[in-house]
Amino acid sequence: MNGWAIEKLATLVNVVYGKSPAEVKKLDDGFPIFGTGGVVGYTSDVLCDGPSVILGRKGTIDKVQRCAGPFWAIDTTYFTTAKRVFDWSWLYYAISSLDLRKLNEASGVPSLSRSSLEALDVATPPLPEQRKIAAILSAVDDKLDVIARQIEATQALKQGLMQTLFSRGVGTQDAAGEWVPHTEFKRTSSQSVPATWHARRLGDIAPLIRRPVEIDPNTTYPELGLRSYGKGTFHKPALMGAEVGNKRLFQIKGGDLLFSNVFAWEGAVAVALPEDDGRYGSHRYITCAVDATQADTVFLHRYLTTPTGIALLTLASPGGAGRNKTLGLGALADIEVPLPPLNEQRKISQILDGVEAKLRVLNSKREATEALKRGLMQKLLTGEWRVKVEAELAA
């Protein structure tokens, strides 16, 4: 590659051990204190004036960090100081593109030696190209930061809406179909809700249901697994009948309200999607079929994932708030849900559907931008794609 060289990291920087956080006083603001996972506090003391790239020595060894100004780095990290002129942002991206986990030298807590870091090969372009590459990748990072802020704001909006909608509702519809806010409220056992809402037992509006099947050892049964359960998505393994053993399988239908019987309750409730229809559940599930004349399944699901709903599910598990408790069927059925009229339930779900649709769009944008960044790093930091450098920058 014209003008490029493969150089050891040690030719570019000094790799320096961080120091104990006990040597500095933590403050509410000031210069950042870097740990392996990120900034762990602030101080008035300075270990390095910056700029610098900070790397993990023990623990998280594959998170590359950078700091443009003064900072402190704790003793589970390394920081770097320059031996010659180069672009620090380019070096940050160059090191970030390497798989540092391959340098792990410990069987327990991951550990990275200074000699291994110093021996890293870095494809080094001329300084003007370093700056241009860094500018391109920084622009992509800026876009990712904007998307991250949008996601954070939308998640906060959703959280605020859920708190309001499940306690204040949207109101009642007048003759013209307009929603008029509730003015009268009452106290239930768990919260204040509009006076027109009625507390109903979960067992009355979403009774426990089983659709047992006779196991044929020569038949394959697509099981609905529990992976990513709290996100409402499912792992979908397939079991041969001979592998089922003592499991009792039952059919699942799209729209079923599913409860995990082996996970902690934070988010361990989901709705079976239409494409899950015909799959099979086992002892790991409690399955309820929602009475559509009384309740909207999505409304129930969302209510049970609010802090109030999670607390009720936790109390329904023998042993209380500990992890990996099993749900008591009677206690689950006795959970009281403050139920609005059906049209208000659907309106609440519609409002939250809109926010979640925006979150899906933003997450898709983030994933696409992250994929773009990975592709650009692969091409630009290896010299496979060369950047055009203006003559005045190259001078």
Side-chain angles (χ1 to χ4, degrees), residues 57-200:
R57 184 176 70 84
K58 283 188 177 296
T60 306
I61 62 173
D62 59 344
K63 181 172 181 177
V64 184
Q65 303 175 81
R66 57 179 164 175
C67 189
F71 65 92
W72 186 279
I74 69 173
D75 52 5
T76 56
T77 69
Y78 299 109
F79 64 93
T80 54
T81 60
K83 285 186 175 180
R84 68 177 211 231
V85 176
F86 57 82
D87 186 274
W88 276 101
S89 290
W90 160 80
L91 184 66
Y92 162 76
Y93 289 116
I95 299 176
S96 297
S97 70
L98 304 174
D99 187 0
L100 298 178
R101 291 171 297 183
K102 290 182 178 179
L103 303 180
N104 179 31
E105 298 179 352
S107 57
V109 177
S111 179
L112 189 59
S113 72
R114 181 164 65 176
S115 59
S116 295
L117 278 175
E118 291 173 335
L120 282 172
D121 288 324
V122 181
T124 308
L127 185 59
E129 281 193 69
Q130 294 178 25
R131 291 170 176 157
K132 190 66 178 285
I133 290 168
I136 293 170
L137 294 175
S138 294
V140 179
D141 271 343
D142 289 344
K143 184 175 181 180
L144 283 170
D145 287 343
V146 170
I147 295 171
R149 289 195 295 271
Q150 291 173 333
I151 289 174
E152 184 179 0
T154 307
Q155 287 172 334
L157 171 64
K158 179 185 173 183
Q159 184 178 4
L161 278 172
M162 288 185 71
Q163 183 177 352
T164 300
L165 291 171
F166 286 103
S167 61
R168 310 296 291 180
V170 291
T172 57
Q173 284 183 290
D174 62 18
E178 298 295 325
W179 288 94
V180 180
H182 293 290
T183 56
E184 295 184 15
F185 297 85
K186 63 184 178 183
R187 186 75 193 175
T188 68
S189 58
S190 57
Q191 62 188 116
S192 174
V193 297
T196 56
W197 292 19
H198 300 288
R200 300 298 308 275

Side-chain angles (χ1 to χ4, degrees), residues 323-341:
R323 295 187 65 85
N324 298 329
K325 302 294 184 182
T326 57
L327 275 168
L329 298 184
L332 177 64
D334 284 339
I335 286 176
E336 284 196 345
V337 179
L339 209 60

Side-chain angles (χ1 to χ4, degrees), residues 137-287:
L137 294 175
S138 294
V140 179
D141 271 343
D142 289 344
K143 184 175 181 180
L144 283 170
D145 287 343
V146 170
I147 295 171
R149 289 195 295 271
Q150 291 173 333
I151 289 174
E152 184 179 0
T154 307
Q155 287 172 334
L157 171 64
K158 179 185 173 183
Q159 184 178 4
L161 278 172
M162 288 185 71
Q163 183 177 352
T164 300
L165 291 171
F166 286 103
S167 61
R168 310 296 291 180
V170 291
T172 57
Q173 284 183 290
D174 62 18
E178 298 295 325
W179 288 94
V180 180
H182 293 290
T183 56
E184 295 184 15
F185 297 85
K186 63 184 178 183
R187 186 75 193 175
T188 68
S189 58
S190 57
Q191 62 188 116
S192 174
V193 297
T196 56
W197 292 19
H198 300 288
R200 300 298 308 275
R201 287 179 68 253
L202 185 62
D204 294 333
I205 56 178
L208 178 70
I209 192 165
R210 282 287 188 267
R211 306 179 187 96
V213 295
E214 234 179 274
I215 305 300
D216 181 347
N218 300 312
T219 300
T220 297
Y221 295 89
E223 186 186 12
L224 199 60
L226 291 169
R227 186 178 300 169
S228 300
Y229 195 98
K231 298 178 183 178
T233 58
F234 305 98
H235 175 47
K236 299 175 180 179
L239 297 175
M240 282 296 295
E243 299 171 323
V244 173
N246 294 325
K247 284 184 180 178
R248 283 181 288 182
L249 297 185
F250 57 90
Q251 281 191 321
I252 287 172
K253 291 188 178 296
D256 283 349
L257 192 62
L258 303 175
F259 297 89
S260 167
N261 207 25
V262 295
F263 278 22
W265 306 126
E266 289 80 1
V269 55
V271 179
L273 303 175
E275 56 265 34
D276 299 319
D277 197 286
R279 288 191 169 267
Y280 295 85
S282 66
H283 65 288
R284 298 181 297 179
Y285 291 99
I286 294 173
T287 308

Side-chain angles (χ1 to χ4, degrees), residues 16-21 32-35 46-48 54-55 71-79:
V16 187
Y17 286 96
K19 290 190 176 182
S20 170
I33 303 171
F34 282 92
V46 173
L47 186 58
C48 177
I54 299 103
L55 300 150
F71 65 92
W72 186 279
I74 69 173
D75 52 5
T76 56
T77 69
Y78 299 109
F79 64 93

